[in-house]
Amino acid sequence: MAMSRVRHSEKEKPLPKLEKALTGITGFDQITHGGLPQGRPTIVCGGPGCGKTMFAMEFLVRGATEFNEPGVLMTFEETGDEMTKNVASLGFDLKALAARKKIMMDYVKIEPAEIQETGAYDLEGLFVRLQYAVDKIGAKRIVLDTLEAVFSGFNNSGLLRAEIRRLFRWLKDRGLTTVVTAERGDGALTRYGLEEYVSDCVIFLDHRVNEQVSTRRMRIVKYRGTSHGGDEYPFVIDERGFSVLPSTSMRLDHKVSSGRISSGVPDLDNMLEGEGFYKGSSILVSGTAGSGKSSLGASFADRSGSDGRKTLYVAFEESPLQAVRNMRSIGINLEKHLRKGILKFDAWRPTQSGLEMHLLRIHKLVEEFEPEVVVVDPVSNLMMGNLHEVHSMLMRLIDFLKTKQITAMFTSLTQGSQKDFEQTDVGISSLIDTWILVRDVELSGERNRCIYVLKSRGMDHSNQVREFVISRKGIRLLPVYIGDGSVLTGSARLTQEAREKADALVERQTAEEQARARDRRRKAVEAQIASLRLELTDVESESARFASEELKRELRLAQDKIDRSALRGGKSTLAGRAKRG
């Protein structure tokens, strides 16, 4: 029972994890989840010019300056002065670090012709010099550049292997985090083919040229005792040092916002629930040449600047002054935002460098300027080399901007027929939150611009195709106008509107004439009725007059009869009655 409790407690005890030493190299510590194995040797191998020495030097300098881990640089091909001059372009001052006892440089001159190999020949002298240097400054890190020079005098392969193993064991026993540079071998990662097996970590650097554009790649071949990224990662070496570009935010766990940001075109905002884009989202504006993509990007940048949002505009086709001048012709004043420092305009040719350098340059601009809005115009100009590499680079850029909650607008040139409009050459449509398509419509001998929202995630957007015009007052979307079942634009629209106005005028005039005819007929009928009524009145009056005269005549006749009777001496009945009464 007691034994089972002990075993149970042993199972619950967490296993020790491999300790790691941060290199300070941008991106590298991310893909290795913490840096190089602490207290163990690492081989950095590759062909000439791939960046082995630069990687090793940055590991050493960053350790001394950022992590308080002094280091020893032991070189076998370049002197300390030569190495100091070589890395000065990266901003590393080795002499100042040596004066502060943060770094100790030791150049060991080895001439194979001067070495006479014997059975007792070994690296004991090298161990003594290393130990002295480590003790003098309390070193935690070691760089040996390069390993081939150390063993150049060995012809006995058995002795060579034994000494390599002994060197790595010596470094390991003293807990020194070591980077050993090695040249690429023939059919193996290293020249002797043994270093890669006895080291705990192997990093392979490759410098390749595709279509006259050079690119550098890094691959972690092995890393004992820990998980690590096994893909090829692009890296660059510039004035800030060695930078690895990992695929950021692959877990899709970046934050989102429900806030809105205006597109700079009120009519376009109305097509997006009247509020515009989501903050921190990605927007793609694609279309043919001259369809207004750059104008929409400039409108977005102008409105963002007016709202007080820092905006970064990256252009691959126009210089800043040219873009500012051109946009002034459509009522967009970018110069005022540049003067205020709220807009940063940077432009360079896409053929100037490889994809990694473009990505790194945008990274640096974002880190230095800290914008809320980024416009890249046009992203399709980065179509260089392998499509998979282009897609991977743009995915990293979009993920990088999303993790920083930056609203990004990309413009893309679409080529091909009508059926090709709803796809992009760069293949990033699935990564985009809002996709706006602009295109030219040819009708009646002229070309006019149309715009519609192909998709906009998370909002109820308009599905109408709108004509838009670019004038000195900016961009304005015209109301939807459909004639004969199709969207009419330009002069065809004006002609159709004029034709419909003329038809409406004719219909109105006809209706008015018919109304006047009805009024005339009504008045005639009413006059006829009035005349008949008057005639009826006259008839009735005549009838009454005839009746009255007839009555009077009868009375006169009666009176005459009476009078005649009286003359004859007779008494009429009426007279008699009158007398009696």
Side-chain angles (χ1 to χ4, degrees), residues 88-265:
S89 60
L90 305 180
F92 300 155
D93 190 347
L94 296 186
K95 286 189 176 181
L97 291 173
R100 294 164 49 197
K101 294 187 177 181
K102 291 290 186 179
I103 284 180
M104 182 172 182
M105 295 180 287
D106 190 5
Y107 168 61
V108 180
K109 183 179 179 181
I110 297 180
E111 293 292 343
E114 299 176 1
I115 298 176
Q116 182 178 3
E117 183 179 340
T118 65
Y121 180 81
D122 55 30
L123 299 178
E124 197 62 40
L126 178 64
F127 296 156
V128 172
R129 294 182 70 157
L130 273 174
Q131 188 66 61
Y132 171 78
V134 169
D135 293 341
K136 186 173 182 179
I137 63 171
K140 301 293 183 182
R141 301 187 178 200
I142 302 290
V143 168
L144 301 179
D145 184 44
T146 64
L147 190 63
E148 286 73 19
V150 180
F151 298 102
S152 58
F154 285 79
N155 293 321
N156 187 323
S157 59
L159 181 61
L160 172 65
R161 289 174 175 269
E163 288 302 297
I164 289 177
R165 291 180 183 275
R166 194 159 75 96
L167 171 62
F168 280 58
R169 174 51 56 189
W170 188 91
L171 295 168
K172 230 176 192 182
D173 290 343
R174 285 156 181 77
L176 298 171
T177 306
T178 307
V179 170
V180 180
T181 63
E183 295 179 2
R184 184 174 184 176
D186 185 11
L189 293 175
T190 56
R191 177 179 295 184
Y192 301 112
L194 176 65
E195 307 95 308
E196 57 208 70
Y197 293 100
V198 297
S199 61
D200 290 83
C201 180
V202 177
I203 300 171
F204 178 69
L205 305 181
D206 182 32
H207 188 194
R208 64 190 72 164
V209 178
N210 292 323
E211 298 181 359
Q212 301 180 350
V213 178
S214 67
T215 58
R216 288 184 168 93
R217 295 288 186 274
M218 167 187 289
R219 181 166 63 94
I220 302 174
V221 179
K222 80 170 186 178
Y223 199 142
R224 287 175 181 164
T226 184
S227 61
H228 61 277
D231 299 329
E232 278 193 333
Y233 298 97
F235 71 93
V236 294
I237 301 173
D238 63 359
E239 69 280 358
R240 296 178 59 182
F242 201 100
S243 299
V244 184
L245 306 175
S247 298
T248 58
S249 187
M250 295 304 290
R251 294 190 303 173
L252 294 177
D253 57 355
H254 52 265
K255 297 180 180 179
V256 296
S257 172
S258 297
R260 295 295 189 93
I261 179 171
S262 173
S263 66
V265 181

Side-chain angles (χ1 to χ4, degrees), residues 394-436:
L394 293 176
M395 180 185 292
R396 291 196 298 273
L397 175 58
I398 292 172
D399 285 339
F400 169 72
L401 296 175
K402 281 195 172 185
T403 55
K404 291 186 173 294
Q405 284 290 284
I406 294 175
T407 308
M409 176 179 283
F410 306 91
T411 67
S412 175
L413 176 64
T414 301
Q415 297 178 346
S417 60
Q418 180 76 20
K419 66 180 181 180
D420 297 326
F421 285 163
E422 295 185 3
Q423 60 184 1
T424 58
D425 293 334
V426 294
I428 59 171
S429 58
S430 61
L431 308 175
I432 295 298
D433 298 310
T434 299
W435 187 0
I436 298 172

